[in-house]
Amino acid sequence: MVAMASSAALRSYVLALLVVMAVVPHISAQQCNTNLLEAVRAQPSLSILADVIEASGLAEQLSMTDNVTVLAPDNNAFNGTGGLLSILAANNLTLEQVTAPGSNRAASILLYHIVPSPATAADLTDGQTLTTALGKAYELTVDKTATPTVVVSFIGAGSNATVITADLRVCNSVVHIVNTVLLPATTLTAIPIYNLEPSPSPVGSPGMSPAPTGNGVVPGSPTAPTASVPGSPPESGGADSSFTAGSAVVALSAAVALAMIM
């Protein structure tokens, strides 16, 4: 009788475990119902950034990008004293000119604010070097102090920025709001031009801009997104592949459990 009771208890435990294993992947895949672009649009202090994203042609890419760190310049970083708009004006340029096809340096500037892996303020270390989505040649250096309070800044090639609001979670990504637009070069003309035409052989992180070519043009790759945001409509084959992998795990677990019961 004791052996039968133990066997029944084991069956109940294994069945409960299998139910949990089958349900949890489905729940985790549905828990995120937004994306980075929507999160930026929802922040009033990032309204200019949202406009620049749209004007530069990166809206679709950003809406499909996940598992990254975004350094989001606030409105003052654009229109405040020493902001990007005043820098453009000092060079007889307008935002419309640097987002136009053939001279779209704004997209390259924005890609310089994306690090292809999520990192909270606690994850970052002083002196750490971060490769950006603009390419391996365009890096940021972390400047982090801990006294009297933790302050995180990013040292860029043409400007520096300090985090004013850290660790905003958007799906699997982390957003830090910063007080300055980071420039990937010391002069505007040295910033590579972003080309929205797809590249036949993209280099770099999927869904982000490849590294600049020798002529200073960054070939675009708007049709190659990063991992789809959980809860968003899947790309062809993406969700099916995940579901198949999850099903295989459950099936294997079931087979092992059945062998244990028998």
Side-chain angles (χ1 to χ4, degrees):
M1 293 292 290
V2 174
M4 291 178 62
S6 298
S7 178
L10 178 59
R11 288 192 182 93
S12 299
Y13 172 78
V14 170
L15 288 174
L17 180 62
L18 292 177
V19 169
V20 171
M21 291 181 66
V23 171
V24 167
H26 177 73
I27 293 175
S28 62
Q30 300 298 324
Q31 66 184 359
C32 183
N33 58 1
T34 188
N35 59 55
L36 286 168
L37 181 59
E38 291 177 350
V40 169
R41 287 173 174 163
Q43 286 280 346
S45 64
L46 302 180
S47 60
I48 298 179
L49 174 60
D51 291 341
V52 175
I53 291 170
E54 294 280 357
S56 64
L58 292 180
E60 183 177 1
Q61 270 183 272
L62 192 61
S63 67
M64 294 186 292
T65 297
D66 198 13
N67 292 297
V68 298
T69 300
V70 176
L71 309 179
D74 68 355
N75 290 343
N76 287 332
F78 287 94
N79 60 15
T81 303
L84 180 61
L85 298 183
S86 64
I87 293 175
L88 292 176
N91 287 270
N92 298 315
L93 292 170
T94 64
L95 190 58
E96 289 74 18
Q97 289 174 308
V98 296
T99 56
S103 58
N104 189 358
R105 289 184 167 88
S108 294
I109 293 173
L110 292 178
L111 291 171
Y112 194 53
H113 291 74
I114 300 176
V115 178
S117 59
T120 64
D123 296 330
L124 298 169
T125 58
D126 185 46
Q128 181 180 1
T129 300
L130 304 172
T131 299
T132 68
L134 185 55
K136 293 181 180 179
Y138 296 90
E139 298 178 330
L140 296 170
T141 301
V142 177
D143 180 21
K144 185 176 182 179
T145 59
T147 55
T149 58
V150 175
V151 177
V152 177
S153 298
F154 298 92
I155 311 302
S159 59
N160 307 329
T162 299
V163 175
I164 54 179
T165 304
D167 300 344
L168 300 178
R169 296 281 188 168
V170 182
C171 299
N172 299 306
S173 297
V174 178
V175 177
H176 303 298
I177 298 179
V178 296
N179 64 350
T180 307
V181 175
L182 290 159
L183 298 178
T186 54
T187 62
L188 293 177
T189 54
I191 297 173
I193 297 171
Y194 181 85
N195 183 6
L196 287 176
E197 292 299 321
S199 173
S201 55
V203 180
S205 301
M208 297 178 186
S209 170
T213 58
N215 59 5
V217 176
V218 181
S221 180
T223 58
T226 56
S228 298
V229 177
S232 64
E235 298 294 316
S236 58
D240 289 342
S241 298
S242 299
F243 180 76
T244 301
S247 300
V249 172
V250 174
L252 180 61
S253 302
V256 172
L258 183 59
M260 291 175 59
I261 295 173
M262 296 177 65

